[in-house]
């Protein structure tokens, strides 16, 4: 073909170089070339072709060598021969491996069968064991297993004891023969909680061994070495004797000091795990007493408080004065004590968290910590506050004691609510017992025996005596009634007043009475500081000092209520009823006997003195009766609503309280009744005296008198006089003749009106007032019935009688009388009509009564006495009327 270049002619053969073959070298290949994961036949052939065929035959240079396939052919031939060898080797290996696989499968099958039989045997054995344990032979099989386990445990314990005994024996031989404890020292230096615990246990056991085997070390405490027998025996020097007690104690002290030092370092670094480890070891060593003492004694709270405990109790003067003033509300807890309690609350709550993390026996540590706080810090401050309060007054001491107890109770409740080491859960019963015990121990010295109630009684006695001091002096000066029976009563009352007054004076002059308390007592007694209590005759007393005051009674009850409430809060328990009984007796003595009964006795004495008075009786003593009744009501209300219910827990004491109260109230009510009855007697006696001033001819005025006959009488009768004139008019003969007549009725009217006003204010609208007025009215009715039977009455006098009766009826109708008294007014009206109406009218009026008593109070025949007092009783008409009667 024209223009075709032969491949052979186009291949230029290079000049042979030294060391190279004159033939073209084909690429060489190894087994890895064809065994690679990336080997692809197509890509392999294309790579060979690309290297043999020029990239562009038409444009290739004319000197290009022709393609020579021989190297490739040789390469392929070598490869084929090698592949054949490899194929043979592969087949041989395949056969070998196939045989091995068959043998392995046969062996695996044999193993499976063997294991299957063994598994069946194990299952059968397990089933037999299970059936022996749960079936009929349970006791035998189970006991065997349990006994086997127990035996193994016992063997393990014996082994452990044997090892411990061996080590203990080695330690004892070491300390007794060589005087050292190197084995324990080695364990101690190794550190660790378990090792230190073991050292502590072994040290305790060595101490017991030393006491039994080496008593000489315990009988001689100087530590000097001593020969075992004292002298050499048979010329042979015996070994030296070591003081095992001293060696063991020194080791124990060293171990304890190391642990305490480590605990303190951990505490300063707030390493609670390290603290817990040391505390655990020390607890096993000596019960933890040393580490607890170190923790509590070195606490920063006690170090700071020991410097502040010497500070005096502060507080302004006004606060202490309010504390001593019984009429002021207590100011509360003393500031320094309150500050301490607030700080204790915070410290205990924060420290309980640290104790819980640092001690495995946290409750025991917290208990010691609380005991130290209460018995040292709080108790010392409490004693200082109470000593200061005692220098002010007894009441200040009691109020401070109550405030402190209340504040401490609040602190205990707050700590319980917090939970402390059990936070946020409820506090443990052990800590609860400790807190309550510490609270009780703080205040036990102030409640020993009857010391507390005696202090309360002394305080109340001082207050009551001060309040009633001028009252007792006033009534001790009044004159007693000179009658035998009343003289004995007056003497008894006088002795009570004198005893109360003398006790108060003695108390004021006592040297142990604080100046502040003395000033307060003088203020209550309304005395000046310059006045001497002993100079009683010089003390200025007014009538107001001897009058009952409801405000004073209210103050006395308020003071008692405060004392009762304080007693229930502070002491309580089974002694509460006894204390209430004691305070009740004090109240009855001062309020009932000294205060109320003294006034009632004075009123009764005055009432007795008025019975024989020649002038109008002075009934001003009735003004105190209302105050006495009001205070009696307050007293019995206080006892029934407060004291008796509080003493209901003790049936015997409650019965005593009810009996003493009943006796006292009955006595006072009897005195009130005596006063009322004597007042009735005095009033009726005086009314009798006034009626006795009526002259025989007062109701028979003469017709020819001055002023123009009977017309003047009628003119006088037409102008009723309501009250006595303030300024008497000019003398008039006729009016002068009428003055005794009018004055009798008006005097009685004025006296009874004054009596009514006094009694109405004293008894107030009540059944007692009605009974009193009704009894007075009945007496007056009786007197009037008899009074108008004594006088002759003419026509003009009849008008005067009618006018007087109208006046009496007007007076009595204004009173709150019993309804049964109403017919009396009709009877009195009828008496007036008997004197006024004529014979025929009188006869018709009597016929209209049809024989019945007028008003049901008297018979018709009772009118005969009044008809006979008419001036015309001898006339025919009147005689016929008398015949009808």
């Amino acid at each position: 073909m024209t223009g075709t270049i032969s491949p052979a002619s186009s291949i230029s053969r290079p000049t042979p170089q030294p060391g190279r073959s004159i033939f073209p070298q084909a690429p060489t290949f190894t087994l890895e070339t064809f065994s690679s994961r990336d080997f692809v036949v197509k890509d392999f052939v294309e790579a060979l072709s690309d290297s043999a065929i020029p990239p562009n035959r038409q444009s290739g240079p004319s000197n290009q060598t022709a393609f020579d396939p021989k190297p490739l052919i040789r390469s392929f031939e070598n490869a084929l021969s090698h592949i054949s060898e490899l194929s043979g080797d592969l087949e041989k290996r395949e056969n070998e491996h196939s045989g091995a696989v068959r043998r392995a499968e046969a062996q695996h099958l044999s193993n499976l069968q063997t294991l299957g039989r063994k598994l069946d045997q194990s299952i059968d054995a397990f089933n037999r064991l299970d059936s022996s344990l749960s079936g009929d032979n349970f006791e035998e099989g189970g006991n065997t297993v349990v006994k086997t386990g127990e035996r193994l445990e016992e063997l393990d314990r014996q082994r452990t004891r044997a090892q411990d005994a061996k080590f203990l024996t080695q330690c004892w031989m070491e300390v007794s023969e060589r005087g050292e404890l190197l084995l324990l020292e080695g364990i101690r230096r190794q550190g660790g909680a378990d090792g230190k615990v073991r050292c502590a246990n072994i040290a305790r056991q060595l101490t017991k061994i030393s006491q039994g085997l080496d008593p000489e070390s315990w009988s001689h405490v100087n530590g000097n070495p001593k020969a075992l027998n004292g002298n050499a025996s048979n010329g042979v020097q015996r070994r030296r004797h070591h003081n095992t007690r001293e060696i063991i104690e020194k080791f124990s002290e060293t171990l304890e000091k190391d642990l305490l030092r480590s605990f303190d370092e951990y505490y300063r670094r707030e390493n609670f795990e390290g603290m817990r480890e040391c505390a655990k070891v020390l607890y096993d060593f000596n019960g933890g007493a040393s580490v607890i003492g170190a923790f509590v004694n070195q606490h920063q709270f006690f170090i700071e408080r020991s410097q502040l405990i010497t500070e005096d109790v502060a507080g302004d003067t006004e606060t202490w004065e309010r504390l001593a003033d019984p009429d002021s509300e207590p100011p509360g807890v003393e500031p320094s004590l309150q500050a301490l309690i607030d700080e204790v609350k915070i410290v205990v709550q924060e420290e309980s968290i640290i104790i819980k993390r640092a001690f495995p026996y946290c409750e025991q540590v917290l208990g010691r910590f609380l005991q130290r706080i209460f018995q040292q810090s709080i108790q010392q401050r409490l004693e200082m506050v109470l000593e200061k309060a005692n220098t002010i007054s007894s009441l200040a001491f009691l109020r401070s004691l109550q405030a402190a107890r209340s504040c401490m109770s609040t602190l205990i409740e707050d700590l319980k609510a917090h939970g402390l080491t059990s936070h946020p859960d409820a506090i443990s019963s052990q800590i609860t017992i400790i807190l309550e015990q510490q609270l009780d121990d703080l205040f036990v010295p102030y409640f020993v025996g009857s010391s507390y109630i005696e202090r309360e009684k002394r305080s109340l006695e001082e207050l009551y005596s001060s309040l009633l001091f001028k009252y007792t002096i006033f009534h001790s000066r009044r004159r007693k009634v000179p009658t035998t029976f009343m003289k004995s009563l007056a003497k008894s009352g006088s002795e009570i007043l004198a005893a109360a007054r003398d006790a108060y004076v003695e108390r004021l002059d006592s040297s142990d009475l604080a100046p502040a308390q003395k000033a307060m007592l003088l203020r209550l007694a309304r005395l000046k500081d310059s006045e001497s209590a002993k100079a009683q005759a010089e003390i200025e007393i007014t009538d107001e000092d001897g009058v009952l005051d409801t405000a004073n009674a209210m103050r006395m009850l308020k003071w008692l209520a405060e004392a009762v409430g304080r007693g229930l809060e502070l002491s309580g328990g089974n002694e509460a009823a006894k204390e209430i009984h004691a305070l009740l007796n004090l109240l009855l003595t001062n309020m009932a006997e000294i205060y109320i009964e003294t006034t009632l006795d004075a009123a009764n004495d005055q009432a007795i003195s008025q019975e024989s008075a020649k002038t109008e009786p002075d009934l001003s003593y009735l003004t105190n009766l209302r105050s006495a009744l009001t205070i009696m009501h307050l007293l019995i209300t206080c006892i029934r609503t407060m004291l008796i219910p509080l003493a209901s827990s003790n049936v015997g004491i409650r019965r005593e309280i009810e009996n003493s109260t009943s006796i006292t109230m009955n006595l006072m009510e009897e005195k009130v009744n005596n006063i009322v009855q004597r007042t009735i007697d005095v009033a009726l006696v005086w009314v009798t005296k006034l009626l006795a001033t009526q002259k025989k001819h007062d109701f028979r005025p003469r017709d020819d008198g001055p002023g123009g006959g009977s017309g003047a009488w009628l003119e006088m009768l037409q102008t009723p006089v309501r009250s006595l004139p303030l300024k008497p008019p000019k003398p008039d003969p006729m009016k002068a003749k009428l003055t005794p007549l009018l004055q009798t009725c008006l005097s009685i009217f004025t006296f009874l009106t004054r009596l009514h006003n006094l009694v109405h204010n004293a008894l107030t609208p009540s059944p007692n007032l009605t009974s009193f007025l009704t009894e007075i009215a009945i007496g007056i009715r009786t007197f009037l019935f008899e009074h108008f039977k004594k006088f002759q009455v003419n026509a003009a006098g009849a008008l005067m009688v009618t006018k007087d009766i109208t006046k009496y009826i007007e007076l009595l109708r204004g009173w709150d009388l019993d309804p049964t008294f109403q017919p009396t007014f009709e009877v009195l009206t009828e008496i007036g009509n008997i004197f006024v109406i004529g014979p025929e009218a009188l006869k018709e009026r009597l016929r209209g009564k049809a024989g019945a008593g007028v008003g049901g109070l008297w018979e018709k025949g009772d009118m005969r006495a009044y008809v006979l007092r008419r001036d015309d009783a001898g006339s025919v008409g009147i005689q016929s009327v008398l015949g009808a009667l």
Side-chain angles (χ1 to χ4, degrees):
M1 184 180 296
T2 307
T4 303
I5 301 176
S6 174
S9 62
S10 63
I11 298 172
S12 60
R13 299 182 180 275
T15 303
Q17 297 296 330
R20 297 182 60 185
S21 174
I22 60 174
F23 300 101
Q25 295 291 330
T28 57
F29 305 100
T30 61
L31 179 60
E32 286 74 11
T33 304
F34 301 99
S35 62
S36 175
R37 293 180 178 274
D38 298 330
F39 176 75
V40 180
V41 176
K42 181 179 178 181
D43 295 339
F44 176 73
V45 174
E46 287 179 354
L48 292 177
S49 301
D50 289 341
S51 62
I53 301 175
N56 191 352
R57 295 179 182 179
Q58 296 179 357
S59 60
S62 60
N63 59 354
Q64 183 178 6
T65 58
F67 174 70
D68 187 7
K70 292 180 180 180
L72 299 175
I73 291 172
R74 285 192 292 272
S75 297
F76 281 113
E77 288 177 350
N78 291 331
L80 288 174
S81 63
H82 190 55
I83 288 173
S84 298
E85 294 176 358
L86 292 175
S87 178
D89 293 338
L90 180 61
E91 182 178 2
K92 182 179 179 181
R93 291 182 180 180
E94 183 179 2
N95 293 334
E96 293 176 354
H97 288 304
S98 297
V101 168
R102 287 193 296 273
R103 289 191 298 273
E105 289 179 349
Q107 184 64 34
H108 176 67
L109 180 60
S110 176
N111 292 338
L112 286 178
Q113 293 175 353
T114 303
L115 293 176
R117 288 193 298 272
K118 291 183 178 181
L119 179 61
D120 293 337
Q121 293 174 359
S122 299
I123 292 174
D124 293 340
F126 176 78
N127 290 333
R128 288 193 301 271
L129 178 61
D130 183 64
S131 61
S132 66
L133 294 176
S134 59
D136 297 335
N137 297 328
F138 169 74
E139 294 183 359
E140 181 180 355
N143 291 335
T144 302
V145 174
V146 172
K147 290 179 180 179
T148 302
E150 293 177 351
R151 182 59 179 168
L152 291 175
E153 292 177 357
E154 181 65 25
L155 291 175
D156 181 68
R157 287 194 296 268
Q158 290 178 1
R159 176 178 174 274
T160 303
R161 285 198 298 269
Q163 292 176 346
D164 293 340
K166 177 183 177 182
F167 186 78
L168 181 61
T169 303
Q170 292 175 348
C171 292
W172 171 249
M173 297 299 295
E174 188 178 38
V175 69
S176 62
E177 294 181 358
R178 298 196 298 271
E180 56 188 13
L181 287 171
L182 297 180
L183 294 176
L184 287 182
E185 287 288 347
I187 297 176
R188 183 179 65 84
R189 292 193 180 97
Q190 289 177 1
D194 295 337
K196 293 179 180 179
V197 170
R198 188 181 181 191
C199 286
N201 292 331
I202 293 175
R204 287 201 305 270
Q205 293 174 357
L206 288 175
T207 301
K208 294 179 180 179
I209 294 175
S210 176
Q211 292 175 349
L213 300 182
D214 190 13
E216 296 180 0
S217 298
W218 294 84
S219 59
H220 300 281
V221 296
N222 53 10
N224 295 328
K226 185 178 180 181
L228 185 61
N229 295 321
N231 298 319
S233 177
N234 298 326
V236 180
Q237 182 70 27
R238 302 296 299 271
R239 61 179 176 83
R240 294 189 62 189
H241 174 70
H242 299 280
N243 193 325
T244 57
R245 174 187 180 183
E246 182 180 356
I247 297 171
I248 296 171
E249 288 181 348
K250 286 183 179 180
F251 174 80
S252 301
E253 292 176 0
T254 303
L255 178 61
E256 184 176 6
K257 290 179 180 179
D258 290 346
L259 292 172
L260 291 175
R261 191 181 305 108
S262 300
F263 181 86
D264 185 61
E265 293 176 356
Y266 291 142
Y267 180 64
R268 298 181 187 279
R269 296 198 300 264
E270 296 185 357
N271 185 350
F272 298 111
E273 293 299 329
M275 293 172 63
R276 192 177 186 88
E277 181 178 340
C278 293
K280 180 180 179 181
V281 175
L282 288 169
Y283 183 80
D284 293 333
F285 183 71
N286 58 5
S290 58
V291 68
I292 295 175
F295 175 79
V296 173
N297 296 333
Q298 298 178 9
H299 198 278
Q300 191 66 24
F301 174 80
F302 300 108
I303 297 175
E304 295 175 354
R305 277 289 159 184
S306 63
Q307 300 172 357
L308 299 177
I309 198 65
T310 56
E311 294 182 356
D312 294 334
V313 178
D316 56 307
T317 306
E318 182 181 357
T319 301
W320 290 110
E321 289 179 353
R322 286 176 54 201
L323 197 64
D325 187 359
D327 296 320
S328 300
E329 291 296 326
V333 186
E334 194 273 332
S336 64
L337 180 60
Q338 182 67 59
L340 173 61
I341 292 175
D342 294 339
E343 184 180 359
V344 166
K345 176 182 176 182
I346 297 174
V347 169
V348 171
Q349 290 178 355
E350 293 178 350
E351 206 64 27
S352 61
I353 300 175
I354 298 176
I355 293 174
K356 182 178 180 180
R357 298 177 62 185
F359 292 91
Y361 40 95
C362 55
E363 291 188 354
Q364 182 178 351
V365 180
L366 181 61
R368 284 282 300 278
F369 186 70
L370 291 173
Q371 290 174 358
R372 177 72 180 277
I373 287 179
F374 279 88
Q375 296 175 6
Q376 178 175 322
S377 301
I378 295 180
Q379 185 173 357
Q380 291 178 354
R381 175 54 58 173
L382 176 63
E383 291 175 353
M384 295 177 65
V385 170
L386 294 180
E387 288 177 0
K388 173 67 175 179
N390 196 33
T391 60
I392 302 300
S393 70
S394 300
L395 181 61
F397 177 87
L398 293 170
R399 285 181 167 181
S400 299
L401 184 65
Q402 179 186 13
R405 177 62 181 263
S406 177
C407 190
M408 291 302 305
S409 299
T410 303
L411 171 64
I412 297 300
E413 294 302 324
D414 291 342
L415 295 179
K416 290 181 183 179
H418 180 268
L420 300 182
T421 54
S422 302
H423 181 76
D425 298 330
I427 192 170
S428 65
S429 59
Q430 181 179 354
I431 299 299
T432 300
I433 295 173
I434 292 175
L435 289 173
E436 294 177 351
Q437 183 64 39
Q438 294 304 312
L439 177 62
D440 294 338
D441 292 344
L442 276 178
F443 297 94
V444 162
Y446 309 105
F447 300 100
V448 176
S450 60
S451 58
Y452 167 74
I453 191 60
E454 291 299 328
R455 190 184 291 269
E456 282 283 7
K457 290 171 59 178
R458 184 167 62 254
S459 175
L460 279 177
E461 286 175 349
E462 293 172 353
L463 297 178
Y464 289 165
S465 300
S466 299
L467 186 64
L468 304 179
F469 181 65
K470 285 191 174 182
Y471 177 85
T472 56
I473 292 180
F474 176 87
H475 285 280
S476 64
R477 293 177 181 177
R478 69 179 171 84
R479 186 176 60 183
K480 304 301 183 297
V481 178
T483 58
T484 305
F485 175 70
M486 294 308 301
K487 189 177 294 185
S488 62
L489 293 179
K491 183 179 180 181
S492 176
S494 176
E495 290 176 353
I496 296 176
L497 291 177
R501 184 180 65 251
D502 295 342
Y504 177 73
V505 171
E506 182 180 358
R507 180 61 176 162
L508 283 180
D509 295 335
S510 176
S511 60
D512 60 347
L513 186 64
Q517 185 174 3
K518 182 176 182 179
M520 185 270 298
L521 295 178
L522 291 174
R523 180 179 60 81
L524 287 178
R526 302 184 302 280
L527 297 175
K528 298 179 181 179
D529 294 342
S530 58
E531 290 180 337
S532 174
K534 287 188 176 181
Q536 302 172 23
E538 301 176 0
I539 297 177
E540 183 179 354
I541 300 296
T542 63
D543 291 340
E544 295 180 355
D545 294 327
V547 177
L548 290 178
D549 189 354
T550 307
N552 287 340
M554 293 292 292
R555 293 170 72 184
M556 296 173 72
L557 294 178
K558 178 184 176 183
W559 299 341
L560 176 79
E562 180 182 346
V564 171
R566 182 165 48 242
L568 292 176
E569 181 179 350
L570 293 178
S571 58
N574 298 328
E575 300 297 325
K578 295 181 180 178
E579 294 176 357
I580 291 174
H581 190 200
L583 295 178
L584 172 65
N585 291 335
L586 182 64
L587 178 67
L588 293 179
T589 300
N590 288 272
M591 180 176 281
E593 296 182 12
I594 296 179
Y595 202 44
I596 301 176
E597 291 185 18
T598 300
T599 296
L600 295 179
D601 291 339
N604 188 69
D605 292 345
Q606 191 172 357
I608 294 174
S609 65
Q610 297 303 314
E611 289 180 350
S612 58
K614 296 181 180 180
T615 58
E616 182 177 338
D618 181 13
L619 302 180
S620 59
Y621 60 86
L622 292 176
T623 56
N624 282 332
L625 195 58
R626 180 170 184 175
S627 299
L629 293 175
T630 302
I631 296 174
M632 288 171 59
H633 176 71
L634 292 175
L635 177 61
I636 191 62
T637 302
C638 174
I639 294 174
R640 289 177 178 174
T641 59
M642 182 178 69
L643 300 183
I644 292 179
L646 292 176
S648 59
S649 59
N650 192 318
V651 179
I653 293 181
R654 174 172 180 168
R655 188 178 296 110
E656 292 180 5
I657 291 176
E658 292 175 346
N659 292 338
S660 59
T661 302
S662 177
I663 293 172
T664 302
M665 295 305 298
N666 291 337
L667 180 59
M668 290 190 293
E669 290 174 357
E670 183 180 355
K671 291 186 178 183
V672 171
N673 292 335
N674 291 335
I675 295 172
V676 172
Q677 188 60 48
R678 291 189 184 280
T679 302
I680 294 174
D681 296 341
V682 169
L684 294 179
V685 167
W686 183 247
V687 170
T688 303
K689 291 181 179 180
L690 292 177
L691 290 174
T693 61
Q694 196 90 50
K695 294 183 179 181
K696 184 176 181 180
H697 298 289
D698 283 346
F699 296 111
R700 295 182 65 189
R702 290 181 300 173
D703 294 339
D704 57 348
S710 62
W713 291 96
L714 294 175
E715 183 181 355
M716 291 294 297
L717 293 173
Q718 289 173 357
T719 55
V721 181
R722 294 296 178 184
S723 61
L724 294 177
L726 298 177
K727 184 177 181 181
K730 294 181 179 180
D732 187 350
M734 188 62 188
K735 290 184 178 181
K737 185 177 181 64
L738 289 174
T739 297
L741 171 64
L742 298 176
Q743 186 67 33
T744 299
C745 177
L746 290 177
S747 297
I748 295 175
F749 182 88
T750 303
F751 170 73
L752 293 179
T753 301
R754 187 181 300 112
L755 172 64
H756 174 266
N757 294 335
L758 289 173
V759 175
H760 188 274
N761 291 331
L763 300 180
T764 67
S766 62
N768 293 330
L769 176 62
T770 302
S771 299
F772 178 87
L773 295 177
T774 301
E775 190 168 350
I776 293 286
I778 292 173
I780 294 174
R781 180 186 65 186
T782 303
F783 294 158
L784 292 178
F785 284 174
E786 296 298 326
H787 180 69
F788 291 110
K789 293 179 182 180
K790 300 177 181 178
F791 301 94
Q792 288 293 120
V793 181
N794 59 15
L799 296 177
M800 299 172 64
V801 170
T802 303
K803 186 177 175 121
D804 283 357
I805 291 177
T806 303
K807 195 71 173 177
Y808 294 134
I809 292 175
E810 177 188 352
L811 172 67
L812 297 178
R813 285 188 183 276
W815 291 4
D816 184 13
L817 300 176
D818 192 271
T820 58
F821 189 80
Q822 295 299 322
T824 299
F825 302 130
E826 181 181 352
V827 173
L828 291 175
T829 303
E830 289 297 330
I831 292 175
N833 292 334
I834 290 175
F835 295 106
V836 175
I837 61 179
E840 293 297 328
L842 180 60
K843 189 173 184 178
E844 291 295 330
R845 193 173 187 85
L846 293 176
R847 187 182 297 115
K849 298 300 178 181
V854 180
L857 293 176
W858 58 348
E859 298 296 333
K860 189 168 61 174
D862 295 336
M863 297 182 182
R864 182 181 181 88
Y866 300 100
V867 175
L868 290 174
R869 305 314 296 177
R870 290 175 58 127
D871 271 359
D872 56 352
S875 63
V876 176
I878 297 300
Q879 287 297 322
S880 63
V881 172
L882 292 174
L885 294 175

